[in-house]
Amino acid sequence: MTRKRMLLLSVLLILGLVIGGCTAPASPSGATSEEPAATEAPAAAAPAGPFEPMVYAAENCDYGGLFKSMEAVDEQTVKFTLCYPDVAFPAKVAFSAFAINDADYLEATGGGGDLIENPNGTGPYTLAEWRRGDQMIFQRNENYWGEKAIPATVVFRWGAESAQRLVELQAGTVDGIDGVGADDFATIEDDANLQLALRSGTNVFYLGMNNKFPPFDNERVRQAFAMGIDRQRLIDNFYPPGSSLATQFMPPSIFGYSQGQEWYEYNPEEAKKILEEEGVLPGFKTTITYRDVVRGYLPNPGIVAQDIQAQLADLGVEAEIVVMESGSFLTAANDGEIDGFHMLGWGADYPDATNFLDYHFGPGASAQFGAGFPDIWEALKEGSTKATPEERQPFYDTANELIKQHVPMIPVAHGGNAAAFKADVEGAYASDIGAEQFALMNPGGREALVWMQNAEPIGLYCADETDGETLRACEQVMQSLLAYEPGTAAVIPSLATEWSANEDLTEWTFTLRDGVTFHNGATLDANDVVLSYAVQWDASHPLHVGNSGQFSYFSSLFNGLLNAPAAE
């Protein structure tokens, strides 16, 4: 019995779960074709052994999540059995947070460490070097199963200021930039040496509140603040062309948007009256916490924070502005540790209501808004189990109305935003879901494509990250069972060539692509898929480590973790 089999078998028996067996994935020996400059290559694959299919299963569905079992039917076939139907399952499976790792590499890293710093994927690029604080260098994967990447090298750089990024693009030191400044759209369009790549505003910027902290534990107070912020003023003064006022959390271009639903009208007099009636005024002091990172949904974070501070002052509320480092801010927000207002937003990962609503307001959502709302949970669950858009939409209409009633946050804007490239970059585009595939772009015949974005990636084990810059980097190296077609976000094959479901959408079967190898030479098989999912699913798994240990995408999109720790 292999060490891997002994470890997993003992863990699962302790947990009262079922396992059919597992072993090291079959693989040829060897490593990546090019030795990286500063990043050690992932350990070479172990010799092949007889395939023992792995099964990971809950005793029952009482824990409340979506998954009942994950099973390697044979080397090339994986079956997921769900506790209830999920029509959006393929769209979720295609997301980069659910990329597949080599099972042996997962074990060798202990679920963290090199898994974060030195990913071992199946994608068109390998990570050659990560100079923290400076740049990230990717080299073409010459053993890639698909069409080889056009640029031999892709370099990621970062800079917080949009003006700085534009200067670098104009000077020709980078080939593309993200987060074009609100005032720079016309400048780029008028420059024959540059090209502007627009996104469609599939995002939302919101002002969050946590209902476990007074006075935000009072729904009427939250409704008052919803009336007291002039959202249109923020858009008129600080947002670029193509931006629009958010009347709900959902952007209009995403399925699940409720036509005709409006947010609270701006009424500072009524807001102040309610705050006085509820004993919040006079004398209320609070904070506005944010990270100083430009996003498509928030192009001017510091200035917007100052304007919200001024608007709150007009209501009689004294708000201190608190700026946090990006990673620390996201962790604090997800852990529900911010006791005042917090400025955050969301960009589409895939075009379905589950990505916006389930992630933020479902039973598996993080603690950023405090305690969840069971009436919203019920509407979202019903919406995800129906087979057609016509059947689903009424439940999302209900959920959107309940979000308005409970006001866990104030939706402000759907931000128009863009990337920009040198004019000679062929195939350049800006993904609406932030998943640009640089392997498809030709940087004017140059060997390297240099990309400059808003911030440095946090870590490259994207199962445990939510940051957009981080996810984009993972997209170059890692791959999921399915993928999103560039330019449309339609679900297409990737590591799986085929997928199907039973009639009631509770059993999903995937057929893996033949001959796919990881960057360390290991061959992809069904056990890699099962273990990649199982270590996220089971909070008590010894490899459930990651960067922060939150695995918030898995918890939120699949309605909770197995053996999740009790809520405080």
Side-chain angles (χ1 to χ4, degrees), residues 100-238:
I100 306 305
N101 278 280
D102 170 37
D104 280 337
Y105 194 62
L106 271 171
E107 283 195 3
T109 60
D114 279 349
L115 200 63
I116 298 165
E117 299 287 332
N118 188 21
N120 176 34
T122 57
Y125 287 102
T126 64
L127 177 63
E129 185 176 3
W130 188 351
R131 302 174 192 166
R132 283 281 187 178
D134 181 22
Q135 63 183 357
M136 193 178 268
I137 302 173
F138 301 93
Q139 295 290 346
R140 182 193 289 136
N141 176 12
E142 300 296 347
N143 297 315
Y144 181 51
W145 57 265
E147 188 172 340
K148 301 297 187 292
I150 297 172
T153 304
V154 169
V155 179
F156 272 36
R157 294 176 52 202
W158 40 86
E161 300 297 327
S162 60
Q164 172 202 356
R165 296 192 298 273
L166 178 57
V167 167
E168 295 243 18
L169 183 64
Q170 291 169 324
T173 54
V174 301
D175 297 288
I177 62 171
D178 196 25
V180 173
D183 299 326
D184 296 329
F185 279 51
T187 300
I188 293 168
E189 289 179 314
D190 292 340
D191 190 334
N193 296 312
L194 305 179
Q195 55 178 312
L196 187 69
L198 296 171
R199 298 190 179 95
S200 63
T202 53
N203 61 54
V204 64
F205 163 57
Y206 59 85
L207 189 64
M209 297 168 279
N210 190 311
N211 64 25
K212 76 177 183 181
F213 298 109
F216 302 111
D217 57 346
N218 183 329
E219 184 166 284
R220 194 162 182 247
V221 168
R222 298 196 303 273
Q223 291 171 350
F225 282 121
M227 301 174 196
I229 301 297
D230 188 346
R231 292 139 51 237
Q232 188 64 56
R233 168 173 138 179
L234 296 173
I235 295 167
D236 291 343
N237 290 332
F238 310 121

Side-chain angles (χ1 to χ4, degrees), residues 61 64-66 82-86 363 381 384-385 504-506 558-559:
C61 291
L66 178 66
L82 311 182
C83 292
Y84 45 85
D86 186 359
K381 182 176 180 179
S384 70
T385 61
D504 66 0
L505 305 180
T506 57
F558 297 131
N559 288 343

Side-chain angles (χ1 to χ4, degrees), residues 291 330 334 346 359 462 464-468 470-471 552-553:
R291 53 177 177 163
L330 292 176
N334 285 336
W346 192 253
Y359 183 88
C462 278
D464 194 28
E465 303 291 353
T466 61
D467 177 70
T470 298
L471 293 168
S552 57
Y553 270 120

